[in-house]
Amino acid sequence: MMGGIRGGPVKIQKRLIELLVLVSIIDLTRGAIQRPDYDDTPDPEFLNPSWMASIPDDQPLSEVTMPGTHNTMALYGGVYAECQTWSLASQLRAGVRFLDIRVRHVKGNLTIHHGVSYQWAHFGQVLEGVADFLGEYPSETVLMRVKEEFSETYDIYGAVVDHIHRYANWDLLWHSRLVPTMGEARGKLVVLQDFSGPDLGMHYGSLDIADDWSVPTVLHVKEKWQSVYEHLEAAPAGNKAQIFLTFSSGAGVFAFPRAVAQRVNPQLHDYLRAKTDLNQRLGIVCMDFPAAPIIEMIISFQLKEAKNSRNGINTVSGKASWKYVISSLKKKMFEYLI
């Protein structure tokens, strides 16, 4: 043992770095994992495409608890860049309603990046995917943070507007910085604007956000979880007119996104499971590599006074919701007939 200590702090630090690298390599060699809290397989275990249909029209989005994904489109670039394995369409159908979109701006083009890593997609494809999903499930809404990444033009507003006109339509957006009700948001894309320019939607900075993303090593996961825990604990008693957003994701030189998610997601799952019987608003819970069961657990955290409204009957209200129900019935009838 004394021989292991000999060499002083420098040698100990070197051995610690070697240990952290070894832990990372072991994580990489495990292959794809599908647990109740963590999933880095290509497809969700099951889907939840229309869970917002049961939320009353008069409930503000700030009182809705919903799952989200950090760096939603980061599927490529190696272990330090990859934060998800499901496609955008799969994430939306699994129940994800908050998207974190990072765009690189070059001469009016908006490509999707996570840092230096190009994600083999552009912003127009994201808009098309969201528009297609909302067209199929008009009872739902999607919140999308849009942020410039790996370019420093500080002038993406015009390009974003151009892409909306080219790949979606202007009426798809919620055109106000105010928090909409569920009825107002159905079938809409709510842009959370994390860039300068005239209002396109809500300002990202208007949310109450916990995003302590820096996790230098896997030994710092404890501090990361503490940040997540404290913000989730604050959300139920927080301003109900303000959307709460908690990122459970993190990364660092010796803690790539998968390694952090494999350690934080189980704690998040246990935390949620212990609170399933409580009447609490948690806001948006934004994750790397979420699994279908933890997404479903987050969805279940809707305020009971809203769920039990209208004489205890969980109705589907609003024009958009009825449109969804009728569309679903038509599909089922068609499948039966053929």
Side-chain angles (χ1 to χ4, degrees), residues 105-329:
H105 183 210
V106 180
K107 297 179 180 179
N109 295 311
L110 297 174
T111 52
I112 306 299
H113 270 253
H114 181 190
V116 300
S117 298
Y118 171 55
Q119 295 302 315
W120 299 99
H122 62 80
F123 187 52
Q125 292 170 319
V126 175
L127 290 170
E128 287 177 335
V130 172
D132 288 347
F133 173 77
L134 292 174
E136 186 174 358
Y137 299 100
S139 63
E140 308 303 288
T141 188
V142 174
L143 285 69
M144 181 195 293
R145 176 202 189 185
V146 181
K147 174 183 182 290
E148 185 174 12
E149 183 141 335
F150 198 56
S151 59
E152 297 180 353
T153 67
Y154 305 107
D155 185 26
I156 69 171
Y157 177 84
V160 170
V161 170
D162 177 62
H163 279 65
I164 291 168
H165 285 298
R166 288 166 59 192
Y167 295 98
N169 66 78
W170 198 242
D171 292 336
L172 182 70
L173 270 60
W174 166 249
H175 293 288
S176 173
R177 65 170 64 183
L178 302 177
V179 177
T181 63
M182 191 65 240
E184 291 171 327
R186 293 193 198 279
K188 297 284 187 181
L189 168 62
V190 181
V191 173
L192 301 175
Q193 189 171 335
D194 198 4
F195 54 90
S196 60
D199 292 349
L200 272 180
M202 294 180 61
H203 289 189
Y204 179 71
S206 70
L207 280 60
D208 190 315
I209 304 167
D211 185 13
D212 296 318
W213 63 268
S214 180
V215 183
T217 75
V218 291
L219 300 179
H220 293 83
V221 167
K222 182 178 179 180
E223 289 87 345
K224 171 62 189 179
W225 169 247
Q226 188 63 28
S227 168
V228 173
Y229 173 83
E230 290 175 0
H231 202 247
L232 290 175
E233 285 289 286
N239 183 358
K240 290 294 193 298
Q242 186 178 27
I243 295 174
F244 270 63
L245 169 59
T246 306
F247 284 86
S248 66
S249 53
V253 176
F254 296 107
F256 46 84
R258 269 186 173 85
V260 174
Q262 286 173 7
R263 290 161 175 80
V264 172
N265 287 17
Q267 297 180 76
L268 176 61
H269 183 271
D270 291 346
Y271 174 87
L272 295 170
R273 184 171 57 184
K275 290 182 174 286
T276 50
D277 294 330
L278 301 179
N279 185 21
Q280 294 187 339
R281 179 279 305 256
L282 297 180
I284 302 168
V285 184
C286 190
M287 302 162 284
D288 281 344
F289 305 102
I294 198 170
I295 287 174
E296 186 174 51
M297 191 177 291
I298 292 167
I299 290 169
S300 72
F301 275 82
Q302 305 310 326
L303 293 178
K304 289 182 174 61
E305 62 262 26
K307 291 171 70 175
N308 297 330
S309 63
R310 303 177 191 272
N311 296 322
I313 300 174
N314 198 2
T315 60
V316 179
S317 58
K319 184 178 179 181
S321 302
W322 284 115
K323 181 180 176 183
Y324 163 71
V325 172
I326 293 168
S327 174
S328 299
L329 288 172

Side-chain angles (χ1 to χ4, degrees), residues 37-52:
D37 57 89
Y38 174 95
D39 191 343
D40 61 8
T41 65
D43 300 295
E45 188 177 350
F46 54 86
L47 304 178
N48 251 310
S50 57
W51 63 268
M52 287 180 152

